[in-house]
Amino acid sequence: MKAQALINSVPSLSPYKWYGKVTRVVGLTIESKGPQASIGDLCYIIVGKTKQTKVKAEVVGFRDENVLLMPLDGTMEISPGSLVEATGKPLEIKVGNGLIGHVIDGCGELMTKGPLPKGLTSFPTDNTPPNPLARPRIHEKMSLGVRAIDSLFTVGKGQRIGIFAGSGVGKSTLLSMLVKNSAADVNVIALIGERGREVKDFIERDLGEEGLRKTVLVVATSDQPALMRIKGAMTATAVAEYFRNQGLHVNLMMDSVTRFAMAQREIGLAVGEPPTSKGYTPSVFAMLPKLLERSGTDALGSITAFYTVLVDGDDMNEPIADAVRGILDGHLVLDRKLANKGQFPAINVLRSVSRVMADITDDTHRACADRVRTLLSIFDENEDLINIGAYKRGASREIDEAIQMHPQIISFLKQATDEATNVDESVQRLLNEFGRGER
């Protein structure tokens, strides 16, 4: 089959190689006279006087008759007149079952710098989302192993969820629980813009050998060029798409979409885009739906996706949080106040929502989940009066019930990181503890 594919590709091959020359470097933007290339094409910049090496770069725009490139590596050794070689195609990665259990960078290369496993096939990183009419509806529950989510925000196979939180509120810990306990066939985790120190911490402390065994980890640290951070998100999504095409149920987890947006802002400003909302360029808000819509269901399999969003100062209405919330199928808000009280996972039940829960749960389950939310809402509205002793028991039957049930609800929502559960157990416990005769 590979031989036939090579034969079929012969008519599209060009008999020429196109070259250009570097004329200017400003920041991370490289201008060159030529080569003939299109937006998104991968090019190689040939550097070095004694030992020549190739620096990967991507075409990101044009200025007059010059080509604007962004490097996937550093700009060291690039000089005026350096040759720019066009490949005529965008970046492709090697992917397959042999990649499971490995850590790769944004270009699909092993972080250990060793050779890739054998038996992998080429796959493009920038793909179009599935046709909306070809997407099956979400109708099957996905067991995530986190009691608060499985019972109150039941997630379906192919749903896309945002995890919104400030720094240090437990996003990474929640992701590790999802990796270890979820019922997915394969996990794909993208660490975009993370501190280099935290990568190994996440692998050894949060993920562990058990989690890594069915996971592909894609890493693009904060010190790498902006384009590499964008490619990290694209590569992780492409790996998830490949496994979805094999008919598997995939968990895609990206930490974080905010750093992806910041990387695109860097590129947009560098090529001359005007800044708009809080300095973000228009291309950021064009790229977000293109990335986020690639996950979900298609005719072959599903990608259940979790995207973390950093909210500066816990502001849920900042531009990226607002844009992402409008695209996804639900969101979980992690609350610093709850984390400070020692409630983990620190999910704020009243500010979180799953938009497909109504399609995959029965009336009894939903009524019970609504009761828990109502009791928490009543307690939250009257918490100040209760704490200062201004509320007298017996004044309101609803408030009395909320006060009585509150410790039981908090105990239900708390879960240790090593505590394993599944969706059926979580729902049954919800019905047993908070049902009104439905059990």
Side-chain angles (χ1 to χ4, degrees), residues 35-254:
Q36 183 174 317
S38 305
I39 294 286
D41 278 2
L42 181 69
C43 294
Y44 292 109
I45 302 173
I46 301 168
V47 299
K49 295 175 182 176
T50 55
K51 184 182 178 182
Q52 290 191 334
T53 57
K54 292 183 176 182
V55 175
K56 290 178 182 175
E58 185 177 291
V59 179
V60 294
F62 305 98
R63 183 175 290 135
D64 299 327
E65 295 181 358
N66 290 344
V67 179
L68 300 181
L69 302 119
M70 278 271 187
L72 286 160
D73 306 311
T75 55
M76 294 293 287
E77 296 189 42
I78 296 175
S79 58
S82 292
L83 280 179
V84 182
E85 179 187 326
T87 65
K89 59 183 181 181
L91 177 70
E92 289 189 344
I93 58 168
K94 297 284 187 179
V95 64
N97 291 337
L99 213 55
I100 298 173
H102 289 283
V103 184
I104 61 175
D105 64 16
C107 291
E109 302 293 333
L110 291 183
M111 293 288 284
T112 55
K113 302 301 180 186
L116 286 166
K118 294 182 179 178
L120 305 182
T121 57
S122 293
F123 198 79
T125 58
D126 196 357
N127 301 302
T128 56
N131 187 317
L133 297 182
R135 285 185 186 266
R137 292 189 64 194
I138 297 170
H139 57 81
E140 190 178 349
K141 293 178 188 176
M142 181 78 174
S143 181
L144 299 175
V146 179
R147 188 164 49 245
I149 302 175
D150 282 341
S151 58
L152 301 179
F153 309 102
T154 311
V155 172
K157 287 183 178 179
Q159 187 173 350
R160 299 159 306 147
I161 291 280
I163 300 174
F164 294 75
S167 56
V169 189
K171 296 186 301 299
S172 297
T173 305
L174 180 57
L175 288 181
S176 72
M177 292 174 70
L178 296 174
V179 171
K180 292 175 185 175
N181 302 332
S182 76
D185 298 317
V186 181
N187 296 306
V188 180
I189 304 175
L191 300 181
I192 308 301
E194 280 286 355
R195 305 174 188 90
R197 175 189 62 79
E198 290 186 346
V199 173
K200 200 161 187 180
D201 282 353
F202 181 81
I203 294 170
E204 295 183 357
R205 183 191 63 201
D206 296 330
L207 202 56
E209 287 185 18
E210 179 191 350
L212 190 59
R213 202 172 294 126
K214 63 171 187 176
T215 298
V216 179
L217 191 63
V218 183
V219 175
T221 50
S222 58
D223 60 294
Q224 293 181 306
L227 190 60
M228 195 65 158
R229 282 173 266 150
I230 287 176
K231 288 301 172 189
M234 296 293 190
T235 294
T237 307
V239 172
E241 287 171 328
Y242 170 83
F243 288 116
R244 178 177 64 184
N245 291 348
Q246 312 308 307
L248 301 178
H249 298 295
V250 186
N251 265 0
L252 171 64
M253 302 171 193
M254 190 175 295

Side-chain angles (χ1 to χ4, degrees), residues 413-428:
L413 295 176
K414 280 185 178 181
Q415 185 174 339
T417 54
D418 57 353
E419 183 183 347
T421 182
N422 62 49
V423 65
D424 294 328
E425 292 170 353
S426 298
V427 172
Q428 192 56 51

Side-chain angles (χ1 to χ4, degrees), residues 245-272:
N245 291 348
Q246 312 308 307
L248 301 178
H249 298 295
V250 186
N251 265 0
L252 171 64
M253 302 171 193
M254 190 175 295
D255 185 14
S256 69
V257 172
T258 307
R259 294 193 182 107
F260 167 84
M262 288 176 174
Q264 181 59 36
R265 176 174 64 183
E266 283 182 45
I267 291 175
L269 292 173
V271 299

